[in-house]
Amino acid sequence: MSAKRQVVSSPERCKVLVVDDDLTARLLASQALGREQFDVIVAEEGITALQIFQQEQPDIVLMDVEMPGLNGFEVCRQLRNMPCGKLVPILMATGQDDIESVREAYAAGATDFVTKPFNWQILGHRLRYMIRASNITEQLHELQKSEVRLGNAQRIARMGNWEWNLKTGELYWSDQLFSLLGIQRGMAKAGLKTFLHRIPLRERSQIHHWLKELIASNESGFASGIKHRVSVAEGLMLDVQHQAEVFCDEDGSAKLISGTMLDVTELKKAQDQILKLARFDSLTGLSNRSVFRERVQMAMEHAERQGYLGAVLFLDLDNFKRINDTFGHGIGDLLLQEVAKRLNSCVRNTDMVGHDQSSSLVARFGGDEFTVLLPEINQVKDAEQVARRILESIGHQINLAGHDVVVTPSIGIAIFPHHGENVDSLMKNVDAAMYYVKHAGKNGYELFVKSMNVVAKRRLELESNLRKAIELNELSLNYQPQIDMQTNRIIGVEALLRWHSEELGFVSPVEFIPVAEETGLITPIGEWVMREACAQAVRWQVQGLPEIRMAVNLSVRQFAKQSLEKQVNQVLLDTGLPVHCLELEITENMMMDDVEGSVETLHRLKALGVQLAIDDFGTGYSSLSYLKRFPIDRLKVDRSFITHVTTDPGDASVTQAIIAVAHNLGLSVTAEGVEEESQLAFLREHSCEEVQGYLFSRPLKADDLAELLGSNNGYIHL
Ligand SMILES: Nc1nc2c(ncn2[C@@H]2O[C@H](COP(=O)(O)O[C@H]3[C@@H](O)[C@H](n4cnc5c(=O)[nH]c(N)nc54)O[C@@H]3COP(=O)(O)O)[C@@H](O)[C@H]2O)c(=O)[nH]1
């Protein structure tokens, strides 16, 4: 390698690589260019030139075209392919009039050419000029690159920028700003008018105000932002965030405003969605509990200031859980959506989004609970009228995916300011009013009165104590004999649940069974009852007592459970009770909500071999045509008919008719609540098969029942 550094390089000196196979030319170049303040490096042929170029990275290359091995054109081409050789100026030395070489030199990537012989002084200047020009080109190139990068970054970020020279009025818009505004560059001039034209009319004045504030700030670095919308095409609106900063003259007056405009449409959509999720119920689209409470708070404050009355209605669907359990959650959801719709149509001037303070508001409070706010009413009667409208509307049959269902609501009403000094107490009271309706038979409305809190408190007590009742062993069963009128013998017993609470004392099933139903506690309790009753029947058999039937009451929820038949089967397997000894008592109303489903459930239970009875018969609304389809064994005439069977001709006729219908369908009859000899005589006269009531025995503890069953072989003197 014949590279030689001729002069030690100083910072302002330039480095030139001279490539020539002619020794004299190289020496001459070294001397002449050295005199012109160049650091000269020389190479005598192409390969060496490429190596030196890489090591030394000269500022410029002066290269002869004619060389042995790689000629100047080839070396030039290869230099241009090197990453560090793309921009270095290359000056090719050609012969006089050698036009072909000139063409080829340009084609190979040369920057310029020079003809031999050289004027060294002029050549020195020329080399310097080329180096400077190449530096500027390089800077321009870098600038272009960073502009492209900025453009890309703005495009990706969906951001445009602008600059407004307040002294000249000149306005610059970046490509991205044009594109965000939906304008093709060249189709419109960057200008305030063009920009405002794209702003919805109602938002223009706030933009004017914002710009004025910026201009008037007269403070360098003063920055301010604004959010607004931009209409970019027919029906297409963007949400944008504008940010601008002011630059001032030495005299302190604003001379330039520089701004950015960022498209935040997607971000805003996401924020709106989050806000919606936080404030609205996604199933029904109604406002949620927290929005409702906020609005009640505002309405109460407003009512107090203005001396108005307002009302809150609290609505719970009766037996919604049964519909959910029977038809599944999908249908339950459809029902809630339909109820939401009907509620909205019942309440005039409803505010769906929860913004308008003077409008009524319907909200989903949770589960099957809905609330209605009537912020201004003239009199209490107005709230009651809305409640009546709701009862009427919701009570109409609803078809849900082919299933006809009827649901009814229980509605509590509380008036403010009378029924609560704050939102909490108002909501507590309206809740108490709703529970009062539930316990008074459902499907109605009631205005809050103070005594209702006693009922609500008791219910809470029952619920919290009932939750621990199984664990604390507070539940027990009593057994009431059922007597065969032909043989006068006990042929069965009905298992009746008793609760002796440590805290509350004895609680009647009439009171706690509905609470267990509402809270779902009936599921574990009902299973406990079935297991305990079957196990007791087996214990009596093991004691050598006569085999009798064990009747167990099923709750609404138990009957609606798909797994009921599995559960019954498992209990029978676990306890060892022969299947024909178990009778399940179901009420008419349990079956009428979903007749087809009930027929199926009853058939599945019947297939196990258990006996089936319809309890409280005559009080429900079953029809004879349905009765034929139920695979049942027995009807139990409700106590309410038997009580007056000898004194009320109506009850006597109903009892007679039930016995006749049962016999016609091949069913046997048990009369419940027989307390008097005269009632027994009536039932005997009309061929009732079995009787049950205080006349023979009250419900007994297991040991007492065993004693009764053991004495006289279960024979009862009638
Ligand atoms: N789902 C379940 N329900 C149950 C269960 N155990 C009881 N219950 C239901 O609770 C209601 C009240 O029952 P109870 O207080 O036990 O009253 C029963 C009898 O004691 C009473 N009865 C019986 N004979 C007479 C009488 O001659 N006079 C009179 N005044 N009362 C009498 O009737 C009730 C039995 O009713 P029924 O079930 O309709 O046959 C009641 O609805 C029970 O069903 C349980 O485990 N699960």
Side-chain angles (χ1 to χ4, degrees), residues 518-558:
E518 276 163 32
T519 53
L521 286 168
I522 197 73
T523 307
I525 291 176
E527 188 172 349
W528 179 87
V529 169
M530 195 181 308
R531 196 167 280 280
E532 177 55 26
C534 292
Q536 183 56 59
V538 172
R539 285 197 284 273
W540 285 328
Q541 286 178 10
V542 172
Q543 285 172 36
L545 295 168
E547 185 182 277
I548 55 167
R549 208 174 53 214
M550 174 61 74
V552 172
N553 287 287
L554 283 188
S555 73
V556 179
R557 280 202 195 224
Q558 277 176 293

Side-chain angles (χ1 to χ4, degrees), residues 365-389:
F365 217 61
D368 60 342
E369 293 171 345
F370 294 85
T371 43
V372 177
L373 167 68
L374 306 172
E376 285 175 25
I377 53 169
N378 293 323
Q379 44 193 342
V380 174
K381 273 201 287 189
D382 296 348
E384 291 179 301
Q385 199 186 337
V386 173
R388 277 194 294 277
R389 269 210 302 271

Side-chain angles (χ1 to χ4, degrees), residues 288-297 300 311-315 361 363-366 369-374 412-435 448 453 456:
N288 64 16
R289 177 193 289 246
S290 64
V291 173
F292 188 79
R293 288 180 61 93
E294 269 170 35
R295 281 285 311 277
V296 172
Q297 171 78 42
M300 287 179 86
V312 165
L313 277 65
F314 194 106
L315 181 152
L361 181 72
R364 182 167 172 220
F365 217 61
E369 293 171 345
F370 294 85
T371 43
V372 177
L373 167 68
L374 306 172
I413 306 174
I415 305 294
F416 52 87
H418 306 335
H419 298 149
E421 63 228 24
N422 54 39
V423 178
D424 282 341
S425 60
L426 187 78
M427 294 313 291
K428 187 177 131 247
N429 291 342
V430 77
D431 188 56
M434 187 277 289
Y435 267 107
F448 172 76
N453 273 333

Side-chain angles (χ1 to χ4, degrees), residues 14 16 29 32-38 59-60 62 89 91 112-114 118-134:
C14 298
V16 56
L33 293 178
R35 269 198 304 273
E36 296 299 320
Q37 304 299 313
F38 279 92
D59 299 306
I60 192 159
L62 172 63
L91 186 63
D112 206 349
F113 71 96
V114 61
F118 306 137
N119 174 334
W120 288 106
Q121 214 175 4
I122 289 182
L123 183 64
H125 285 294
R126 185 160 178 185
L127 290 177
R128 255 183 227 295
Y129 174 80
M130 283 175 72
I131 291 169
R132 203 170 67 211
S134 108

Side-chain angles (χ1 to χ4, degrees), residues 54 154 180 312 371 516 548-549 554 564 574 583 682 687:
Q54 261 186 318
Q154 290 202 352
L180 281 179
V312 165
T371 43
I548 55 167
R549 208 174 53 214
L554 283 188
L564 174 63
D574 293 347
E583 179 165 273
F682 178 93
S687 310

Side-chain angles (χ1 to χ4, degrees), residues 14-278:
C14 298
K15 202 188 277 182
V16 56
L17 170 63
V18 177
V19 188
D20 204 317
D21 59 326
D22 179 1
L23 177 63
T24 319
R26 291 200 303 272
L27 283 172
L28 260 175
S30 293
Q31 276 180 4
L33 293 178
R35 269 198 304 273
E36 296 299 320
Q37 304 299 313
F38 279 92
D39 290 346
V40 183
I41 319 154
V42 293
E44 62 190 15
E45 44 79 38
I47 303 275
T48 313
L50 292 172
Q51 287 168 350
I52 294 173
F53 184 85
Q54 261 186 318
Q55 284 161 16
E56 297 287 336
Q57 305 216 341
D59 299 306
I60 192 159
V61 178
L62 172 63
M63 183 153 52
D64 192 19
V65 169
E66 299 291 341
M67 283 189 297
L70 290 185
N71 65 18
F73 305 126
E74 190 48 40
V75 177
C76 184
R77 255 190 294 274
Q78 294 206 21
L79 283 178
R80 288 294 184 228
N81 282 336
M82 289 180 183
C84 53
K86 291 217 174 337
L87 298 170
V88 171
I90 302 173
L91 186 63
M92 301 292 283
T94 62
Q96 291 276 357
D97 306 327
D98 187 359
I99 293 299
E100 197 41 50
S101 289
V102 172
R103 259 196 220 109
E104 204 175 336
Y106 280 128
T111 315
D112 206 349
F113 71 96
V114 61
T115 53
K116 286 181 177 175
F118 306 137
N119 174 334
W120 288 106
Q121 214 175 4
I122 289 182
L123 183 64
H125 285 294
R126 185 160 178 185
L127 290 177
R128 255 183 227 295
Y129 174 80
M130 283 175 72
I131 291 169
R132 203 170 67 211
S134 108
N135 283 345
I136 291 170
T137 313
E138 203 171 332
Q139 279 166 15
L140 276 175
H141 193 72
E142 280 306 312
L143 196 64
Q144 269 171 359
K145 273 206 294 199
S146 74
E147 274 203 3
V148 170
R149 278 191 211 114
L150 179 67
N152 280 340
Q154 290 202 352
R155 185 176 45 76
I156 294 163
R158 297 194 56 74
M159 176 197 266
N161 72 305
W162 51 268
E163 236 174 48
W164 187 12
N165 187 327
L166 299 171
K167 304 285 171 184
T168 63
E170 221 178 304
L171 192 64
Y172 160 81
W173 284 2
S174 72
D175 284 348
Q176 262 314 297
L177 188 63
F178 273 106
S179 143
L180 281 179
L181 294 172
I183 305 171
Q184 256 189 329
R185 213 189 243 291
M187 298 302 281
K189 249 184 83 185
L192 194 57
K193 208 167 143 197
T194 314
F195 173 67
L196 288 174
H197 186 65
R198 281 171 166 69
I199 308 298
L201 257 177
R202 286 169 59 182
E203 296 176 40
R204 284 184 198 169
S205 63
Q206 84 182 90
I207 292 186
H208 272 298
H209 181 79
W210 176 63
L211 289 172
K212 268 190 191 160
E213 187 191 39
L214 282 163
I215 296 168
S217 74
N218 288 338
E219 182 191 332
S220 251
F222 176 81
S224 167
I226 187 173
K227 277 185 185 157
H228 60 89
R229 290 174 309 150
V230 182
S231 159
V232 293
E234 190 68 27
L236 181 59
M237 196 69 93
L238 296 185
D239 285 289
V240 299
Q241 161 79 53
H242 236 122
Q243 196 66 33
E245 196 173 317
V246 178
F247 296 86
C248 290
D249 262 341
E250 296 80 46
D251 66 357
S253 64
K255 65 167 179 190
L256 186 100
I257 304 178
S258 179
T260 56
M261 191 182 92
L262 179 67
D263 174 8
V264 291
T265 313
E266 290 305 315
L267 184 74
K268 181 145 189 311
K269 261 193 216 155
Q271 282 171 343
D272 288 350
Q273 185 63 15
I274 291 167
L275 196 72
K276 212 171 151 196
L277 288 175

Side-chain angles (χ1 to χ4, degrees), residues 43 92 102 126 129 207 226 241 316 343-344 351 406 445 460 478 484 506 525 533 573 587 615 664 687 703:
M92 301 292 283
V102 172
R126 185 160 178 185
Y129 174 80
I207 292 186
I226 187 173
Q241 161 79 53
D316 184 280
L343 275 174
N344 267 324
D351 174 17
V406 175
Y445 70 88
L460 265 181
N478 275 1
D484 181 348
F506 176 78
I525 291 176
L573 282 174
T587 64
D615 200 7
N664 268 327
S687 310
D703 289 347

